């Protein structure tokens, strides 16, 4: 069998090629990977099966070499200059060609272009393109991540010129054909550190038929007025597809003049917007809606904290300072309560999974990792945005206009089987059937709410779901329990929202929006195989009865794949930076002991999240005791064959930080105590100190563990089949690791040879994971 696809390297030396013709992954052994590089397009022949029963291939032809530069640290060994790639999926070091060094110096982080051929008998050659700086320079982790994952971080010259040519404010000509809402007290409600404001809200009581209800107005910045199809600003926005949010830095989808200026609903200035005007009854049911272009003026820039305090106490000093807006905020809370009631009635999934955020100092280093607090103001805005997005999807469907829906399908049979087997072992198997609904998931979450392992159950439910994607084929949103859902409310930072705006405005003008993709645009490499697999698994949905397939449907499919892939890319880059920062944060905690909870169990060890720091690390199986442990995937636990000792999700343990690997974004722990009862250790202590009582730690506010950032996007590590074998070490890579280790402060734990051995084994196991608005002329569309 001949297979063509993109090579995905693995830190353990082997590679994977996902077929573009059928749902098949072919393994390239380490020897074959010497002839290719990560992201090369190759043609391979399946020659045998490996020890795990996977098809193993032999490279026949390199169809196309990857043009992406390689980021890494420049080293000099015995007079030879080479690059140790920062991305461990590049399994070979790169020799720097004579004259290709430029101004770079040893130890610096550089970007290298591959210039020499790669083959079985020689290492790849390259030349330095860009010097990024020293490894520990502030913000270097972000500079590395944007290049490592290919995130566009510079706008084209044409886009910069187009942005500079835009006006500084709304002109009289821009107001033509728009409803004037400048006298309506619309307000923005965002986080304290938000810089772009793309949504504003207003609510007032209204009669809905014979019942009491609400008029909810959601105004969204009209980005489509300034970013026209096919122009430089549009091409750059499509290339990025989304803004990328790092700690203390944002890579925006649009230039700052748009994202923080013309298209940001800043207070007390006129802005163009597209409005979703809704009538909602007191049961939270959407009865009517209409879309129209408008011009508005935000009456206040409010924060979630400020609004939550006002809602909690309308007599507080904050409330007195915003006395003119308090009645409207109370109306917003009333409509939120009605929408929340409808959400519960339809059975949408609402899992309680704690989120964390990183607080950095002026140099971009972590000062604290804290729980992200969600209050009623967050939930008010969330429900308002959901309602507007549902209206957008309904409007596209009713008018039989193509668009990008936000599709979230139910769990796959494989993930569902894993979830059910685990629930059965916990005595909860009857809550999820063969074809679960969102309501089944929510009932299970409610049933487990008072259990000590409730957090673990919610985590497993979340991991069992598929990733949401953008697609012109609407198959509903499983998690939110909507038949149709589209993104409309964030066109500053998401390209699919911009496309939804264009489609709605075209329909309002009696026309159709024809999507044209740039010449030569192809499906992103990571999704080509997945697309083929989906096509093989089921036919594409038929268009509604009486509707003809749109001629530009292939373009919508292509852009949907592109936006979905770039969303994943942004998530990966953000997680990479956060992992690096967490490793940096833990460098001076070597030898300290912490209380934590087991968040994942695999055949090669357990992952533990520290209760006080929200940092996750691995305890390799060799650290669990002097016996053989068997992995039970049905119960998701490791059990000792001699003693019967078991390690399962949610178990609280006392661990010691034994190793921190900045290059690998990994933290290794060693087990200190697996029985936290009457007497144990404090939440954190230095090795060698006298043991103290941890009864207080058991009652800590952080006694539950937070979900790892990547857990919502992937199954459990056991389900992915992550191997636990040793990696393919290289002399130069060892030298780089030795230099990194030498820079770290010495700790007692590092002198333990057993710890060093176990850390080496674990290194390759897993990456560290008001007044009423003027009524518009257009008539409201009744929702039947």
């Amino acid at each position: 069998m001949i297979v063509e696809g993109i090579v995905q390297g693995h830190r353990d030396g082997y590679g994977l090629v996902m077929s573009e013709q059928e749902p098949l992954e072919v393994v390239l052994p380490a020897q074959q990977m010497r002839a290719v590089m990560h992201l090369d397009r190759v043609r391979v022949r399946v020659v045998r099966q490996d020890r795990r029963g996977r098809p193993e291939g032999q490279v026949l032809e390199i169809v196309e070499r990857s043009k992406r530069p390689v980021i890494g640290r420049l080293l000099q060994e015995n007079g030879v200059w080479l690059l140790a790639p920062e991305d461990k999926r590049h399994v070979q070091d790169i020799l720097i060609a004579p004259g290709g060094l430029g101004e770079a110096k040893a130890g610096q982080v550089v970007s290298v272009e591959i210039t020499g051929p790669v083959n079985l008998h020689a290492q790849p050659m390259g030349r330095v393109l860009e010097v990024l700086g020293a490894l520990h320079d502030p913000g270097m982790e972000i500079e590395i991540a944007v290049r490592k994952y290919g995130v566009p971080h510079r706008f084209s010259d044409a886009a910069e010129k187009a942005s500079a040519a835009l006006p500084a404010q709304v002109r009289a000509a821009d107001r033509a054909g728009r409803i004037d809402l400048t006298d309506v007290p619309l307000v923005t409600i965002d986080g304290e550190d938000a810089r772009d404001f793309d949504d504003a809200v207003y609510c007032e009581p209204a009669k809905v038929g014979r019942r009491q209800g609400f008029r909810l107005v959601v105004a969204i910045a009209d980005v489509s007025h300034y970013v026209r199809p096919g122009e430089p600003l549009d091409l750059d926005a499509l290339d990025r597809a989304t803004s990328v949010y790092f700690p203390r830095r944002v890579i925006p989808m649009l230039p700052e003049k748009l994202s923080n200026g013309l298209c940001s609903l800043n207070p007390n200035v006129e802005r163009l917007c597209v409005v979703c005007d809704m009538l909602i009854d007191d049961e939270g049911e959407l009865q009517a809606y209409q879309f129209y272009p408008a011009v508005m003026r935000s009456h206040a820039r409010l924060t979630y904290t400020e609004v939550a305090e006002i809602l909690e106490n309308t007599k507080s000093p904050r409330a007195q300072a915003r006395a003119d807006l308090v009645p409207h905020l109370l109306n917003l809370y009333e409509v939120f309560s009605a929408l929340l009631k409808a959400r519960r009635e339809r059975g949408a999934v609402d899992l309680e999974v704690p989120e964390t955020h990183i607080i950095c100092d002026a140099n971009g280093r972590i000062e604290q990792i804290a729980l992200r607090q969600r209050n009623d103001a967050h939930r008010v805005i969330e429900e308002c945005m959901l309602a507007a997005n549902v209206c957008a999807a309904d409007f596209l469907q009713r008018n039989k206009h193509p668009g990008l829906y936000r599709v979230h399908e139910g769990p796959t049979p494989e993930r569902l089987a894993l979830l059910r087997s685990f629930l059965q072992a916990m005595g909860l198997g009857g809550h999820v059937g063969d074809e679960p609904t969102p309501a089944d998931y929510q009932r299970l979450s409610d049933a487990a709410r008072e259990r000590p392992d409730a957090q673990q159950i919610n985590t497993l439910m979340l991991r069992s779901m598929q990733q949401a994607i953008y697609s012109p084929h609407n198959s509903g949103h499983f998690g939110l329990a909507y038949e149709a859902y589209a993104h409309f409310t964030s066109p500053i930072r998401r390209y699919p929202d911009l496309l939804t705006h264009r489609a709605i405005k075209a329909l309002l003008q009696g026309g159709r929006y024809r999507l044209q993709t740039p010449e030569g645009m192809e499906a992103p490499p990571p999704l080509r195989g997945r697309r083929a697999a989906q096509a093989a698994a089921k036919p594409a949905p038929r268009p509604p009865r009486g509707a003809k397939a749109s001629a530009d449907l292939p373009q919508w499919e292509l852009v949907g794949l592109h936006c979905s892939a770039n969303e994943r890319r942004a998530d990966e880059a953000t997680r990479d930076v956060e992992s690096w920062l967490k490793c940096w944060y833990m460098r001076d905690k070597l030898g300290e002991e912490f209380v934590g909870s087991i968040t994942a169990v695999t055949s090669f060890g357990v992952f533990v999240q520290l209760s006080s720091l929200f940092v996750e690390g691995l305890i390799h199986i060799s650290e669990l005791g002097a016996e053989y442990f068997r992995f039970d995937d049905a119960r998701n636990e490791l059990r000792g064959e001699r003693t019967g000792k078991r390690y399962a999700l949610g178990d609280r343990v006392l661990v010691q930080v034994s190793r921190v690997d900045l290059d690998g974004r990994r933290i290794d722990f060693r087990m200190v105590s697996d029985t936290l009862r009457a007497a144990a250790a404090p939440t954190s202590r230095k090795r060698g100190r006298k043991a103290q009582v941890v009864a207080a730690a058991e009652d800590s506010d952080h006694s539950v563990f937070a979900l790892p950032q990547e857990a919502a996007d992937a199954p459990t590590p056991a389900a992915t089949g992550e191997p636990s074998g040793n990696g393919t070490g290289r002399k130069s890579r060892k030298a780089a690791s030795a230099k990194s280790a030498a820079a770290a402060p010495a700790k007692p734990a590092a002198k333990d040879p057993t710890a060093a051995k176990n850390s080496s084994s674990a290194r390759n196991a897993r990456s560290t994971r008001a007044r009423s608005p003027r009524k518009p002329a257009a008539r409201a569309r009744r929702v039947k």
Side-chain angles (χ1 to χ4, degrees):
M1 178 188 297
I2 307 298
V3 171
E4 183 173 323
I6 302 295
V7 176
Q8 297 289 323
H10 193 279
R11 63 170 54 242
D12 284 349
Y14 66 90
L16 295 172
V17 178
M18 178 175 284
S19 171
E20 298 179 352
Q21 296 79 33
E22 54 186 306
L24 176 68
E25 278 189 347
V26 179
V27 177
L28 291 182
Q31 180 65 19
Q32 290 293 313
M33 285 297 292
R34 291 184 57 84
V36 297
M37 295 192 66
H38 175 59
L39 297 182
D40 284 351
R41 179 192 293 276
V42 298
R43 186 174 292 114
V44 300
R45 174 188 287 119
V46 177
V47 293
R48 64 178 69 86
Q49 288 189 334
D50 67 2
R51 290 179 300 175
R52 297 172 56 188
R54 301 175 299 180
E56 185 175 298
Q58 180 181 14
V59 177
L60 297 178
E61 179 187 359
I62 299 172
V63 179
E64 183 182 3
R65 290 288 188 184
S66 171
K67 296 180 176 61
R68 184 181 298 179
V70 182
I71 311 301
R73 203 154 19 141
L74 194 62
L75 303 174
Q76 187 179 29
E77 294 184 357
N78 300 323
V80 177
W81 289 93
L82 53 86
L83 182 86
E86 203 281 337
D87 188 345
K88 305 308 178 189
R89 291 175 295 183
H90 289 284
V91 299
Q92 300 184 64
D93 292 327
I94 299 167
L95 298 176
I96 304 301
L101 193 61
E103 301 297 323
K105 297 179 177 60
Q108 288 184 322
V109 179
V110 299
S111 172
V112 166
E113 175 189 34
I114 302 300
T115 58
V118 183
N119 57 60
L120 291 173
H121 309 291
Q123 287 180 266
M125 301 285 290
R127 68 180 182 90
V128 175
L129 288 178
E130 180 184 12
V131 178
L132 304 184
L135 179 62
H136 301 313
D137 285 349
M140 181 55 64
E141 67 281 358
I142 297 176
E143 297 296 337
I144 291 173
V146 296
R147 292 164 177 81
K148 176 179 176 180
Y149 292 96
V151 176
H153 57 287
R154 295 190 182 98
F155 289 101
S156 65
D157 291 341
E160 293 282 11
K161 291 178 181 178
S163 174
L166 291 171
Q169 57 190 6
V170 174
R171 300 165 298 188
D174 298 327
R175 300 171 59 99
R178 293 178 178 269
I179 304 299
D180 189 345
L181 297 182
T182 55
D183 60 340
V184 179
L186 288 151
V187 297
T188 62
I189 305 176
D190 295 275
E192 281 78 1
D193 56 351
R195 295 180 60 195
D196 55 341
F197 314 112
D198 49 12
D199 57 82
V201 291
Y202 165 78
C203 183
E204 64 181 5
K207 277 284 187 180
V208 183
R210 297 182 178 180
R211 305 177 62 175
Q212 289 295 325
F214 308 91
R215 183 183 186 186
L216 175 62
V217 179
V218 176
I220 306 299
D222 190 359
V223 176
S224 62
H225 181 81
Y226 301 103
V227 181
R228 303 298 176 88
E231 295 186 354
L233 285 172
D234 179 56
L235 295 177
D236 275 30
L238 174 58
D239 186 32
R240 298 178 179 221
T242 181
S243 297
V244 186
Y245 293 86
F246 298 108
R248 297 184 70 250
R249 182 179 171 187
V250 178
I251 308 294
M253 187 181 79
L254 299 171
E256 187 172 356
K257 186 170 184 178
L258 284 167
S259 59
N260 295 338
L262 266 178
C263 294
S264 183
L265 306 182
N266 300 320
N268 303 317
V269 292
E270 288 190 353
R271 288 290 183 257
L272 305 183
C273 60
V274 179
V275 172
C276 181
D277 201 333
M278 297 164 274
L279 288 177
I280 298 169
D281 65 24
D282 56 0
E283 294 294 318
E285 294 296 330
L286 180 67
Q287 297 297 330
Y289 67 84
Q290 61 183 334
F291 288 96
Y292 51 87
V295 59
M296 60 160 286
R297 179 185 289 112
S298 172
H299 283 227
R301 182 270 200 258
L302 304 177
T303 67
Y304 294 122
T305 303
E306 183 179 7
V307 172
E309 289 186 16
I310 292 173
L311 294 175
E312 186 176 353
N313 181 5
T314 57
K315 303 298 183 182
S316 67
R318 280 185 185 262
Q320 296 301 317
R322 303 285 192 181
D324 56 330
L325 296 176
V326 169
H328 310 307
L329 295 178
L330 293 176
N331 291 335
L332 281 170
Y333 186 80
E334 291 296 324
V335 75
F336 152 71
S337 300
L339 290 169
L340 187 60
K341 180 179 179 181
R343 179 188 184 118
R344 290 167 178 162
E345 286 292 326
R346 72 175 184 268
V349 181
D350 189 11
L351 301 180
E352 295 182 3
V353 179
E355 297 180 16
T356 61
H357 67 110
I358 293 174
I359 302 172
C360 295
D361 59 19
N363 293 322
R365 301 294 185 240
I366 294 183
E367 283 188 338
Q368 182 185 359
I369 303 172
L371 278 178
R372 189 180 297 278
Q373 300 295 332
R374 276 176 52 84
N375 54 41
D376 282 343
H378 288 89
R379 298 181 180 93
V380 166
I381 294 301
E382 178 183 297
E383 288 298 331
C384 291
M385 298 305 111
L386 290 177
N389 287 337
V390 169
C391 292
D394 183 79
F395 192 64
L396 294 176
Q397 278 200 313
R398 286 174 177 273
N399 288 278
K400 301 179 177 60
H401 194 291
L404 288 184
Y405 296 93
R406 185 63 168 174
V407 173
H408 182 224
E409 297 184 344
T412 62
E414 296 79 13
R415 294 190 186 184
L416 181 60
L418 285 172
L419 176 64
R420 292 187 66 190
S421 64
F422 180 73
L423 294 176
Q424 287 171 358
M426 302 179 71
L428 294 169
H431 286 77
V432 177
D434 293 331
E435 296 183 1
T437 64
D440 293 333
Y441 270 66
Q442 192 56 46
R443 278 193 293 269
L444 173 59
S445 180
D446 293 340
R449 192 179 304 276
E450 301 303 323
R451 291 173 57 118
D453 53 2
Q455 192 59 57
Q456 292 78 22
I457 294 172
N458 282 343
T459 298
L460 288 171
M461 284 193 288
L462 189 61
R463 290 174 175 173
S464 73
M465 298 182 195
Q466 298 187 61
Q467 290 179 316
I469 61 171
Y470 293 106
S471 173
H473 305 297
N474 175 41
S475 55
H477 197 291
F478 178 84
L480 295 174
Y482 286 133
E483 293 183 0
Y485 186 72
H487 277 166
F488 162 78
T489 55
S490 296
I492 289 179
R493 61 186 180 90
R494 292 189 306 229
Y495 196 80
D497 302 55
L498 176 58
L499 293 179
T500 301
H501 277 235
R502 289 174 178 168
I504 289 174
K505 289 175 68 176
L507 288 170
L508 292 177
Q509 295 168 6
R512 310 276 290 184
Y513 172 61
R514 299 295 180 185
L515 177 63
Q516 295 293 328
T517 55
E519 186 177 352
M521 183 178 179
E522 296 182 353
L527 290 185
R528 285 195 180 100
R530 188 181 306 167
R531 185 183 187 187
Q534 290 175 341
K538 60 180 181 181
R542 294 181 179 179
R545 182 176 297 179
K548 296 181 180 179
S550 174
D552 57 353
L553 187 60
Q555 282 76 26
W556 287 97
E557 292 176 336
L558 181 58
V559 173
L561 287 169
H562 172 80
C563 292
S564 299
N566 285 10
E567 182 183 53
R568 303 291 177 263
R569 178 181 67 185
D571 291 341
E572 289 175 352
T574 301
R575 284 198 297 266
D576 187 84
V577 169
E578 291 180 351
S579 296
W580 193 95
L581 288 172
K582 289 178 179 179
C583 288
W584 179 275
Y585 182 59
M586 297 298 292
R587 285 203 323 165
D588 62 351
K589 294 175 174 56
L590 286 169
E592 292 190 40
E593 296 175 0
F594 297 88
V595 173
S597 298
I598 295 178
T599 57
V601 183
T602 72
S603 59
F604 52 84
V606 297
F607 290 91
V608 174
Q609 187 173 70
L610 307 183
S611 300
S612 59
L613 300 181
F614 307 105
V615 171
E616 190 182 43
L618 171 71
I619 305 178
H620 193 259
I621 195 168
S622 60
E623 285 281 1
L624 297 180
E627 64 175 308
Y628 181 79
F629 282 85
R630 185 177 298 277
F631 176 59
D632 186 341
D633 56 354
R635 295 179 177 272
N636 221 337
E637 68 178 22
L638 286 172
R639 183 182 293 272
E641 286 196 343
R642 179 172 55 83
T643 63
K645 182 182 293 185
R646 56 185 292 274
Y647 295 98
L649 285 180
D651 287 353
R652 290 175 60 74
V653 294
L654 181 65
V655 300
Q656 181 188 68
V657 182
S658 62
R659 182 176 180 273
V660 176
D661 178 9
L662 273 173
D663 290 338
R665 313 293 198 265
R666 313 193 37 150
I667 301 169
D668 291 337
F669 298 146
R670 72 156 47 115
M671 183 72 71
V672 176
S673 173
D674 55 11
T675 55
L676 294 181
R677 293 191 176 89
T683 306
S684 170
R685 72 178 188 187
K686 286 285 185 179
R687 187 184 184 199
R689 290 185 182 177
K690 185 177 179 180
Q692 301 177 26
V693 176
V694 304
E698 294 287 19
D699 300 325
S700 167
D701 291 338
H702 307 305
S703 59
V704 296
F705 65 88
L707 175 70
Q709 189 70 29
E710 69 272 31
D713 296 335
T716 59
T720 63
E722 189 82 28
S724 57
N726 293 326
T728 55
R730 295 172 301 235
K731 179 180 178 181
S732 56
R733 189 68 55 82
K734 289 179 180 178
S737 300
K739 292 183 181 180
S740 177
K747 296 289 179 179
K751 298 178 181 179
D752 189 337
T754 308
K757 177 182 178 181
N758 292 330
S759 298
S760 176
S761 301
R763 185 164 51 247
N764 300 298
R766 178 181 186 254
S767 328
T768 307
R769 324 214 198 255
R771 281 188 304 182
S772 299
R774 300 180 188 177
K775 294 184 179 180
R779 223 174 138 187
R781 179 177 297 279
R782 180 72 54 180
V783 178
K784 297 181 180 179

